[in-house]
Amino acid sequence: MADVLPPQNIEAEEAVLGSMLIEPECIARISAIVEVQDFYVVRNQWVCAAIYANGANADSLTVSDTLAKDKRLEEIGGESYLARLLTSVPTALNAEAYARIVADFATRRRLLTALTATAKAAYDISMPIDEVCGISHQQLNNVYKSADRSGATLPERSDEFIEWLNDDSPSELIPCGIKDFDAVVGGGFARGEYVIVAAPPGVGKTAIAVQAMYLAAQRGQNCMYFSFEVSWRDIACRMIAMKLSETGHNIHYGKIIKRDLTSEQRELCERGWLEMVDKFKSRIKIHDPSSMTPDQIRNAAIAYGAKHPLDMIIVDQMHHMSDGRKGSDDRQRLSFISRELAKLPKVMREATSKTPVVIALSRLSRSGYEQPDISHLKESGDIESDANMVLLAYRDPDDKP
């Protein structure tokens, strides 16, 4: 089995290239079907790239000149190979059919690569199963996306656009639940947004995030919380305190986490927990490792989102994440992490057909009582440029004890 070559059709590859050299007018149609990387033979990739670069002016002379400038003409076999391509087909009449064959075999090779990566992950017993499923889903989704190059013309999108334009229903927002906070963000977070909430330690970033998740789950929305700073028990105790406050029982979450409770309070907490579990069911999932990479977060979110399409993803805090690379300093690490988190809403939409809001918590290098600005994002690596919104939290100096 190891000696079996990947799926390929060299004759079809040469026929596509020959067709484009014979009739440059077909290049635009071919380029919509076949990408340079779809060719199995490397020299065919180089020739295709040279043809695409010359466009309607492509012929054996211009393509030869382009390859010579790239120092690849001799490597493909010289001008004699281009001459051979010209004679590989009598006409360009079947160019698009040849192109579809090349694209089909390229998809088959990508599918084999995806399945190999999935098998490798499945054999790694140390890898959590949700991460394995996430890798599998993402690998196959990448193949689906590469295979679907149909797109749509403006007329084909016309009815959909008119329907959207005349839809008077309000945009779905995901409110935080803190009145003043929601007022600042226009009523809530919009799907597809990447939001950074930054504050110095002790100001309440986690409290804001947990409340947003709790209220989202109450509305029937699905949430995933990645906590690298506090345990799942800490988050659970915060939600119990919120649950009890709804019925007038104000017990600080700190007392719950320390189990500094009277027997009556303990009974209230247990009942509140069971009611919350019964109501929320699988709407909330909490990960609390010491660190994760953006790829691990993506894979876990895709795996869970495939069963429970996510409305909200929270990362607490991004400074504790790893970029999975060697040699990067803190600024480079955070820049990479932020760019990857910014892509997550689109990735989730493509993988699960639902677009969440992604909220990342970040540190500020300022006292909690000093009014911050963007420059105070600690070792930010310009992460603010990735975000749709950056919210800076601090305590009013009048509240200082």
Side-chain angles (χ1 to χ4, degrees):
M1 189 69 180
D3 296 331
V4 176
L5 290 173
Q8 57 187 284
N9 190 318
I10 308 304
E11 292 80 6
E13 290 189 10
E14 294 180 355
V16 169
L17 299 174
S19 296
M20 290 192 288
L21 289 172
I22 291 172
E23 188 178 314
E25 290 79 7
C26 75
I27 293 175
R29 301 194 305 275
I30 299 301
S31 63
I33 301 170
V34 175
E35 295 179 348
V36 171
Q37 294 79 9
D38 288 346
F39 290 83
Y40 176 74
V41 178
V42 174
R43 68 175 177 177
N44 289 344
Q45 293 181 9
W46 294 344
V47 174
C48 181
I51 292 174
Y52 284 176
N54 284 281
N57 296 318
D59 57 27
S60 58
L61 292 177
T62 58
V63 170
S64 174
D65 183 59
T66 299
L67 289 166
K69 288 178 180 176
D70 293 338
K71 296 183 170 43
R72 286 175 171 169
L73 181 59
E74 294 306 315
E75 290 188 62
I76 69 159
E79 293 181 359
S80 60
Y81 183 63
L82 295 179
R84 195 182 103 193
L85 292 175
L86 280 167
T87 60
S88 62
V89 285
T91 71
L93 189 63
N94 297 315
E96 291 176 61
Y98 300 140
R100 290 191 182 91
I101 293 172
V102 173
D104 176 276
F105 277 90
T107 299
R108 291 173 186 274
R109 293 195 299 273
R110 292 188 182 103
L111 187 56
L112 285 171
T113 300
L115 293 174
T116 300
T118 298
K120 183 179 178 181
Y123 276 113
D124 185 354
I125 306 302
S126 65
M127 186 179 294
I129 190 61
D130 59 350
E131 189 172 333
V132 174
C133 293
I135 289 173
S136 175
H137 199 296
Q138 181 68 20
Q139 289 285 339
L140 292 173
N141 190 56
N142 288 340
V143 176
Y144 300 150
K145 287 190 292 183
S146 68
D148 180 14
R149 297 170 189 158
S150 55
T153 64
L154 293 183
E156 290 169 336
R157 292 291 193 197
S158 181
D159 290 344
E160 181 182 345
F161 180 79
I162 296 299
E163 182 180 352
W164 169 81
L165 190 65
N166 290 285
D167 184 358
D168 293 328
S169 59
S171 299
E172 185 181 0
L173 297 176
I174 304 175
C176 168
I178 300 173
K179 186 177 179 181
D180 292 341
F181 195 92
D182 285 333
V184 171
V185 299
F189 304 116
R191 294 186 181 279
E193 285 187 331
Y194 168 49
V195 180
I196 295 176
V197 179
V203 167
K205 299 184 294 295
T206 298
I208 292 171
V210 173
Q211 179 156 346
M213 177 178 68
Y214 176 81
L215 293 174
Q218 278 195 325
R219 293 189 298 271
Q221 296 172 325
N222 296 323
C223 310
M224 202 163 191
Y225 199 111
F226 295 92
S227 178
F228 310 125
E229 192 160 66
V230 299
S231 72
W232 70 268
R233 288 188 183 88
D234 188 293
I235 296 170
C237 290
R238 289 176 183 271
M239 290 194 292
I240 290 171
M242 294 173 192
K243 171 71 175 172
L244 296 179
S245 69
E246 295 170 359
T247 55
H249 298 96
N250 295 314
I251 304 176
H252 193 273
Y253 91 93
K255 291 177 69 68
I256 304 175
I257 194 69
K258 294 175 183 176
R259 290 174 286 185
D260 181 17
L261 303 165
T262 65
S263 58
E264 182 184 356
Q265 289 174 328
R266 195 179 298 270
E267 186 179 334
L268 282 170
C269 289
E270 182 176 338
R271 187 164 66 245
W273 169 256
L274 293 175
E275 289 175 0
M276 191 166 61
V277 168
D278 181 63
K279 181 176 181 179
F280 290 171
K281 294 182 171 58
S282 299
R283 294 178 199 163
I284 291 177
K285 185 162 188 179
I286 302 171
H287 282 253
D288 62 344
S290 58
S291 181
M292 291 178 80
T293 65
D295 281 353
Q296 289 171 328
I297 284 180
R298 181 199 64 213
N299 293 336
I302 288 173
Y304 190 67
K307 295 181 180 178
H308 310 279
L310 289 166
D311 300 278
M312 179 182 292
I313 298 172
I314 297 172
V315 177
D316 180 9
Q317 296 184 29
M318 62 190 302
H319 285 76
H320 292 302
M321 289 179 61
S322 165
D323 61 359
R325 306 180 300 175
K326 293 182 180 179
S328 56
D329 59 28
D330 282 343
R331 188 178 184 85
Q332 292 169 331
R333 176 176 62 87
L334 288 171
S335 290
F336 175 80
I337 290 168
S338 183
R339 286 196 301 272
E340 293 303 302
L341 291 179
K343 298 174 187 175
L344 194 52
K346 183 178 180 181
V347 168
M348 295 302 295
R349 182 179 71 242
E350 292 173 344
T352 68
S353 300
K354 193 161 192 179
T355 309
V357 59
V358 174
I359 303 171
L361 308 189
S362 179
R363 297 178 192 160
L364 285 179
S365 57
R366 273 291 185 271
S367 161
Y369 297 97
E370 297 179 39
Q371 186 164 350
D373 60 42
I374 290 291
S375 66
H376 299 153
L377 277 169
K378 191 172 183 181
E379 298 161 343
S380 72
D382 302 321
I383 60 176
E384 67 277 3
S385 63
D386 302 317
N388 299 100
M389 187 187 307
V390 179
L391 301 169
L392 307 177
Y394 75 105
R395 283 198 179 95
D396 191 312
D398 293 338
D399 294 338
K400 192 170 184 179

